[in-house]
Amino acid sequence: MTVIEKINRAKRPLFTFELLPPLKGHSIERVYRTIESLLEFEPAYINFTSHRNEVQYIESPDGTLEKRFSRVRPGTIALSAAVKYKYNITVVPHLLCGGFTREETENALIEMNFLGIEDVFALRGDPPKGSRSFIPERGGNENAKALVEQISATGRGEYINGHVDSSSPSKFCIGVAGYPEKHFEAPNMEIDLLNLKSKVDAGAHYIATQMFFDNAAFFRFRDNCRKIGIDVPIIPGIKPISALNDIRLLPQTFHIDLPADLYNAVAKCKTDEEAREVGIEWTTMQTKELIKEGVPGIHYYTLGRSDNVARIVKASF
Ligand code: FAD
């Protein structure tokens, strides 16, 4: 069943989470362990992030540095398929514009179709590290809307080199990203929302949001989406604070605000364990309120750690 089918049939809010593929050369077992620790809460689906190639500088024996491009976390599609068949669960691989040509994207969609994967999360991707602006690959999609258009066209049998009357069209349920506190590059919220609407108009079936720590920001965002005619389901994405450093790193990395109460509570902590406890308490409070307000599901950013998410879900769903 696809994500949108699950949302439409659900009698209670869905519990879902996101995982990263292992670092290159590392085992899939850690991913399995994380999934198994959350299976008892019946996740509706699992997202797998995608990571573009990054520049790495490798030191040669003579001390010179060689510049190499490499993907540090490859394998999103294969990992998704392995999990789908091991646990009989819906999986949602992320597909990026950044670092991929349209041809490579088309091939990825064909592979996913052969593997029986019916869901995809369409993203532009961030600018590469050290670069201020996003530049698409030559022959690649320039933003998530263009990627959604390509995925939708492929589902109608419209491939890059022409139409194919297909007995097995690569039709996908498509998710896209929304930003309750605005995407950092958008000049204002209004324009960001119109861009979001253009992704939905291009064929996206639902929206999952960037993490936020103040539910009021999500409710405002949801109301503003409805006002401009975005009528697809909107799944809030949340993350428990799990280390002292998060109060510095999360706003920097994800361009989000931390409410003063949360910031002050973590700032008073002496250890990561204490900060994790504050994070669990805060995210449990967020979860309970979101469920009360009738969200279709809640998506947790685990970043590979599951014990805190397990405690939150146990206490709130
Ligand atoms: P877009 O929707 O293309 O928007 C990017 C910017 O361009 C926005 O400011 C938007 O307002 C603007 N824009 C869009 N269309 C137009 C237009 N037609 N004209 C002018 N401006 C326009 N990153 C990864 O690398 N891998 C992942 O797996 C990953 N997963 C994510 C999951 C979620 C739920 C979220 C919220 C983010 C994720 N990201 C991931 C991060 C994401 O790639 C970045 O936030 C990226 O900067 C924007 O991606 P997007 O798909 O939202 O871009």
Side-chain angles (χ1 to χ4, degrees):
M1 221 190 288
T2 63
V3 169
I4 195 68
E5 286 167 345
K6 291 204 166 218
I7 293 174
N8 289 339
R9 290 180 195 186
K11 301 222 170 354
R12 60 191 172 100
L14 303 177
F15 157 58
T16 75
F17 61 94
E18 171 179 299
L19 291 174
L20 278 64
L23 288 166
K24 191 186 284 187
H26 287 237
S27 157
I28 197 169
E29 293 301 327
R30 187 160 167 211
V31 173
Y32 290 160
R33 281 202 299 276
T34 306
I35 293 171
E36 280 160 22
S37 68
L38 293 171
L39 275 183
E40 66 174 293
F41 305 109
E42 299 176 359
Y45 57 89
I46 306 174
N47 283 51
F48 290 97
T49 57
S50 174
H51 300 262
R52 63 172 301 158
N53 42 17
E54 288 175 21
V55 179
Q56 289 182 313
Y57 291 93
I58 312 289
E59 191 171 352
S60 311
D62 65 2
T64 55
L65 291 177
E66 188 192 335
K67 187 177 180 182
R68 284 197 205 150
F69 288 92
S70 169
R71 289 180 75 188
V72 291
R73 291 183 186 273
T76 301
I77 295 176
L79 176 63
S80 304
V83 167
K84 173 181 168 65
Y85 291 106
K86 186 171 168 73
Y87 299 104
N88 188 23
I89 193 167
T90 298
V91 290
V92 187
H94 292 189
L95 267 195
L96 298 179
C97 305
F100 296 87
T101 63
R102 296 183 78 243
E103 176 106 39
E104 285 165 336
T105 299
E106 185 173 279
N107 292 339
L109 293 170
I110 292 168
E111 265 175 45
M112 283 157 58
N113 184 32
F114 289 165
L115 288 164
I117 294 173
E118 299 173 305
D119 284 275
V120 63
F121 201 78
L123 292 145
R124 188 196 70 177
D126 280 325
K129 272 190 194 131
S131 176
R132 281 173 146 233
S133 52
F134 176 83
I135 299 170
E137 204 67 13
R138 191 189 292 253
N141 288 305
E142 64 175 341
N143 53 39
K145 178 191 167 210
L147 177 57
V148 173
E149 280 168 348
Q150 182 182 8
I151 300 168
S152 304
T154 309
R156 296 189 297 269
E158 293 162 21
Y159 291 84
I160 292 171
N161 291 327
H163 186 85
V164 177
D165 277 327
S166 175
S167 58
S168 171
S170 311
K171 264 194 184 316
F172 290 93
C173 165
I174 308 170
V176 289
Y179 300 84
E181 297 175 71
K182 187 179 90 56
H183 184 261
F184 70 101
E185 291 168 34
N188 59 50
M189 197 63 184
E190 287 68 31
I191 291 181
D192 205 27
L193 285 176
L194 290 174
N195 287 329
L196 177 57
K197 184 167 188 306
S198 75
K199 295 194 273 192
V200 173
D201 293 343
H205 298 89
Y206 68 98
I207 294 162
T209 75
Q210 180 58 282
M211 66 182 75
F212 57 88
F213 292 87
D214 179 0
N215 285 351
F218 173 79
F219 298 135
R220 249 189 329 269
F221 168 77
R222 186 178 66 174
D223 292 349
N224 289 333
C225 284
R226 300 303 181 225
K227 271 187 205 146
I228 63 162
I230 297 175
D231 53 9
V232 295
I234 304 176
I235 311 271
I238 53 179
K239 177 193 154 31
I241 295 265
S242 58
L244 288 168
N245 225 356
D246 278 358
I247 54 173
R248 195 174 57 78
L249 289 180
L250 295 177
Q252 261 176 32
T253 312
F254 298 105
H255 311 275
I256 42 109
D257 278 356
L258 294 182
D261 287 352
L262 174 62
Y263 180 91
N264 293 335
V266 178
K268 272 193 217 135
C269 297
K270 302 256 176 317
T271 61
D272 283 341
E273 284 65 37
E274 283 177 32
R276 280 170 75 73
E277 288 304 316
V278 173
I280 290 169
E281 204 179 307
W282 188 272
T283 312
T284 303
M285 179 272 291
Q286 276 193 282
T287 301
K288 286 182 175 167
E289 189 184 22
L290 289 165
I291 290 177
K292 211 165 119 212
E293 288 294 320
V295 296
I298 303 186
H299 187 66
Y300 291 88
Y301 294 97
T302 66
L303 299 182
R305 314 260 320 237
S306 58
D307 50 327
N308 49 0
V309 174
R311 279 179 56 193
I312 294 159
V313 176
K314 204 172 210 159
S316 357
F317 270 72

